Each structure stands twice: as structure tokens, then as C-alpha cells.
Amino acid sequence: MSYQHVLLVTDLLSDADKVALKAKRILAGSPEAKLTVLHIVEDDMVRFGFELVPASSLSGDVDGEHWQEARANLAQFLERNELSAVDAEVTAAISNSKGIVNYCQEKAVDLLIIGRHERRGIAAWLVGATADSILPNVPCDSLVVKLDQPVTQ
């Protein structure tokens, strides 16, 4: 199958390069495909009466230090892995899974590539893996790259 729009989601952790390598292999087989790279910063929610509002929409602080650092890390990730993306974006969402699913729907993504850390201890019980929570809801093919190092908390 030839893909048209590939989305690589990265957490920018040390083993994210393994996921980038898989994306490069997929793209080599689909030279007409465009690549988008996405890093999601989880947004805090603020309660106004019965409404929950993302904090970033209130403060407008998408150019603050945290955001600049995330963008710089994403640029380094792209350069280090020699990825040529038509779009590289740092965005906020109330959760990684909601942000990824929404992005896939809005941008007509036909292949999602994401890494999956095994979670142990309380992290597995409280959080779970982002990949596990998006797979039932994502509207496209998915490639989940198993990463070696478990996440513990």
C-alpha cells in the first residue's frame, strides 16, 4: 500500500530515534508520501463554572520558555534523524491520545507511526500506554514501534 500522509508522533525521549528509523523505512517505500511530525505538550485544564478550558488558550503562552524548548528539541530530533517533514508541530492537547486522534482526523492522515513504552508499577495502573488508548479510535493504519526501556514511576 502506498501512503499519502504519514504522521510520526514523538515524545522526544532518548529512544525516539528508533521510531524515526521505522518512519524513514516506510517513507522509502512511499516516495510520494508527505511526512508530518507531531509532539504534544499536555495542556492543563482550568475550570470556569461547569466549563473546562485549556490553560494555553487563556494565557496565549505558546511562545513561552517551555514551548520554545519543545520546538528546539523537535528541530534537533528532525536534524539528527535526517527527516524531511512538510510540517513539524508542537501542539497542546488535554491528553496525548485525544490530541493524536483529533490530529489524524483533521489532517487526513493515512498512517500513524508511534512508539510504545512498556509501563510497569503504578505507571501502568494509572496512565497506561498512549498507543493503547489511541489504537481503537484512530481513523487510519497504525505502526506501533515497541521500545525497549519500560517506564516506571
Side-chain angles (χ1 to χ4, degrees):
M1 173 177 226
S2 181
Y3 294 104
Q4 301 302 309
H5 187 187
V6 176
L7 174 63
L8 168 61
V9 177
T10 181
D11 56 10
L12 298 175
L13 295 177
S14 60
D15 53 3
D17 294 346
K18 293 178 182 179
V19 183
L21 180 60
K22 296 284 186 176
K24 286 174 71 170
R25 289 182 183 156
I26 293 289
L27 292 167
S30 296
E32 67 284 349
K34 69 177 184 175
L35 172 67
T36 300
V37 180
L38 179 66
H39 173 66
I40 296 179
V41 176
E42 287 195 36
D43 207 350
D44 293 326
M45 298 301 287
V46 178
R47 180 175 296 278
F48 284 105
F50 294 105
E51 297 283 328
L52 286 176
V53 179
S56 63
S57 66
L58 294 174
S59 67
D61 188 26
V62 295
D63 290 320
E65 185 178 324
H66 181 65
W67 285 86
Q68 289 176 358
E69 182 180 340
R71 287 188 192 105
N73 289 341
L74 183 57
Q76 290 171 355
F77 171 78
L78 293 170
E79 184 178 336
R80 181 176 64 247
N81 288 288
E82 299 174 347
L83 289 172
S84 178
V86 295
D87 192 16
E89 187 173 338
V90 175
T91 190
I94 59 171
S95 74
N96 284 330
S97 58
K98 286 189 185 304
I100 294 166
V101 170
N102 290 343
Y103 196 93
C104 288
Q105 292 170 340
E106 292 169 7
K107 305 292 184 173
V109 171
D110 55 358
L111 176 64
L112 166 70
I113 303 174
I114 188 169
R116 183 188 186 283
H117 292 99
E118 178 183 342
R119 295 188 183 266
R120 294 185 182 160
I122 197 163
W125 184 67
L126 290 176
V127 181
T130 299
D132 294 343
S133 64
I134 64 166
L135 289 177
N137 302 311
V138 76
C140 59
D141 290 350
S142 303
L143 171 62
V144 179
V145 180
K146 185 175 189 279
L147 300 171
D148 299 330
Q149 296 299 319
V151 176
T152 57
Q153 288 184 348

